Amino acid sequence: MPGQAAPAFTLIDSEGAPRSLADFRGKIVVLEWTNEGCPYVQKHYSGAMQALQREAAEDGIVWLSVISSAPGTQGHVEGESARSWKTRTKANATHLLLDPTGQVGRAYGAKTTPDMRIIDREGRLVFVGGIDDKPTNDVADLQGATNFVRAALDDVMSDRPVRTAFATPYGCSVKYADEA
């Protein structure tokens, strides 16, 4: 999938506003699939993910966290619960998007939480997959891990080809309606 055009989408955010990928045309966009109950997500939200989100925002990068858990499945949240999670974790995502049908998650082939995508200014996927090279849910493993998303963002910001364009994703399965 790296090198392909990013599929267009519109989702409702945790505030109830529609957000389209087209709203961010010309900007670098990070898509992050997340699930508050996933221990792998909790590992990254021990501070590392928020720091990466903050750095991205400082560089003018749009960060869209996506929740594709279907209603009735673990990790499904709606507006107020989503906002509460964002506040509680001090997440710095630009928007928290709700994808209860899983349509966008499936369009991007998201299989785990976290599962990451980076879209360049021309609307092409330049990174797909796992956030780092330590596929565990142990917070201690953040130390010394190679963060593929950070490296890919550095490459994109420097107008270099992304050196690692794919990394095997790891984590909890995305809780799609027909896979729960």
Side-chain angles (χ1 to χ4, degrees), residues 77-136:
V77 291
E78 295 183 11
E80 185 174 332
S81 294
R83 289 190 301 274
S84 174
W85 173 77
K86 185 176 178 183
T87 300
R88 191 174 57 253
T89 60
K90 299 179 179 155
N92 293 300
T94 310
H95 299 289
L96 181 55
L97 304 179
L98 307 176
D99 179 34
T101 67
Q103 182 178 6
V104 174
R106 287 187 175 98
Y108 279 85
K111 299 198 179 315
T112 65
T113 56
D115 198 346
M116 311 296 293
R117 306 290 182 272
I118 298 175
I119 302 167
D120 70 8
R121 293 178 183 95
E122 286 76 42
R124 293 179 310 232
L125 286 163
V126 294
F127 176 82
V128 172
I131 191 166
D132 66 20
D133 64 346
K134 300 282 187 179
T136 73

Side-chain angles (χ1 to χ4, degrees), residues 11-19 97:
L11 290 172
I12 301 299
D13 72 12
S14 60
E15 305 292 330
R19 304 288 175 187
L97 304 179

